[in-house]
Amino acid sequence: MAIYRYHLVNVFAETALSGNALAVFEDAQGLDDATLLAIARQLNLPEVSFLFEAEQAHARIRIFTPAYEMPFAGHPTLGSAHVVARLRQLDGTRLNIETAAGVIPLWRSKHDVWTFQAKTPTYRACELSNEQLAAILGLAPADLGGTALFVNTGTEQLVVPLASRDAVLRCTPKAHVLDEFVPNREGRAQVCVWHRDEVLVNLRFFYTDRGALAEDHGTGSACANLGGWLLANGAPRPINLDVRQGHTIKRISHLKLEVNLQRQIFVGGRVVHLGTGNLSL
């Protein structure tokens, strides 16, 4: 019987029991894909990351939801960086994490706030009319606040601006409708809705999990894709935004989004280490 040690952390957390939960396994060498997915289903967290050795980074991670593997996700990357720094007792503030979407540079500032630099965004038009998109989200066309766009800074998602915070809170999409009408290039429905009021953004992120609708507590990839949307739509730079997520599911996450004059996108948040555990297989 082998023992696999993992760390439980919360990412984008202002308090110990807020933010987005994550388990990070110290050493997943020798585990096959089916076992990695089964572990993620066993723990039933939004995502689980598994650490492997890397040649061109401090560590390589693989990220699994209970349903599938993801090429990139923000909160597992930030949480994994925190665990890698803790395990290796790194004195420096910068490190690199290799993901399936590429090598991601990260750094730590005071109070264990970690920040990653997102990949350069790519785009794809949304072919739905405003009437169709509003109906899919359970809203009226007047609730839309701009042009929806598929954005990819590591994971492609449909980014939808809304006209008010109230519209963000009123979204009621259906899983089977999202799966049919707004899949990304990997065939998975992932939708970010948001509203900006000066420097404050209220954001919700919906996805489907084995036929059911799910809402994420704090989504670093969606925050990065929001930065890509702002670039595509000519928002004045530099941009520094406070992003709030999780209101409707009673689990608040605080994210920081920066887009600099050089069009680089940065997403950050505090990581809280809660404890460790062992899994016997």
Side-chain angles (χ1 to χ4, degrees):
M1 181 179 295
I3 305 296
Y4 295 90
R5 184 175 175 84
Y6 65 90
H7 297 252
L8 187 61
V9 300
N10 283 331
V11 184
F12 308 125
E14 292 298 301
T15 62
L17 297 178
S18 66
N20 204 351
L22 173 74
V24 182
F25 279 80
E26 291 184 3
D27 183 2
Q29 295 295 143
L31 294 175
D32 60 25
D33 291 5
T35 303
L36 296 176
L37 179 59
I39 291 172
R41 288 181 175 173
Q42 174 68 37
L43 296 181
N44 201 34
L45 295 169
E47 281 129 356
V48 177
S49 66
F50 300 90
L51 299 182
F52 298 84
E53 293 182 358
E55 294 183 358
Q56 298 181 347
H58 290 85
R60 178 172 67 91
I61 64 171
R62 296 181 67 183
I63 302 166
F64 283 79
T65 74
Y68 50 78
E69 183 175 6
M70 297 188 69
F72 171 77
H75 103 272
T77 305
L78 294 168
S80 297
H82 185 77
V83 171
V84 169
R86 183 185 180 96
L87 290 174
R88 299 191 181 184
Q89 299 180 334
L90 298 177
D91 294 329
T93 60
R94 293 179 177 268
L95 54 76
N96 295 321
I97 295 290
E98 180 185 342
T99 71
V103 174
I104 307 297
L106 304 101
W107 55 94
R108 176 170 52 188
S109 53
K110 62 182 180 179
H111 306 305
D112 287 327
V113 173
W114 284 87
T115 301
F116 71 83
Q117 180 178 342
K119 308 292 287 184
T120 301
T122 60
Y123 303 100
R124 180 166 62 94
C126 176
E127 303 297 337
L128 299 171
S129 69
N130 284 354
E131 290 74 15
Q132 289 173 314
L133 183 56
I136 288 168
L137 296 174
L139 298 173
D143 289 319
L144 300 181
T147 302
L149 185 66
F150 282 97
V151 185
N152 187 349
T153 57
T155 296
E156 187 183 67
Q157 300 158 353
L158 181 61
V159 180
V160 185
L162 298 183
S164 66
R165 179 179 185 272
D166 177 67
V168 172
L169 298 179
R170 284 191 284 107
C171 277
T172 54
K174 300 290 191 297
H176 70 281
V177 178
L178 293 184
D179 281 336
E180 180 176 357
F181 290 101
V182 292
N184 63 13
R185 290 192 183 277
E186 296 177 335
R188 299 181 181 123
Q190 299 185 8
V191 180
C192 164
V193 299
W194 59 279
H195 173 258
R196 177 180 178 180
D197 184 6
E198 300 295 339
V199 298
L200 177 64
V201 171
N202 288 284
L203 182 149
R204 294 176 72 187
F205 182 76
F206 301 102
Y207 61 101
T208 57
D209 181 357
R210 292 163 287 178
L213 182 73
E215 181 173 351
D216 202 20
H217 303 93
T219 317
S221 58
C223 193
N225 285 342
L226 169 57
W229 187 97
L230 293 169
L231 283 174
N233 285 273
R237 303 188 306 278
I239 300 168
N240 286 281
L241 299 176
D242 292 320
V243 179
R244 299 292 182 264
Q245 189 176 348
H247 304 78
T248 58
I249 49 178
K250 311 302 182 186
R251 178 87 174 193
I252 298 296
S253 292
H254 291 198
L255 302 83
K256 295 286 188 180
L257 171 62
E258 176 187 353
V259 184
N260 65 16
L261 293 174
Q262 292 74 41
R263 303 178 65 87
Q264 295 170 313
I265 300 170
F266 306 96
V267 175
R270 183 178 176 225
V271 180
V272 176
H273 188 279
L274 292 181
T276 60
N278 293 318
L279 196 65
S280 302
L281 297 178

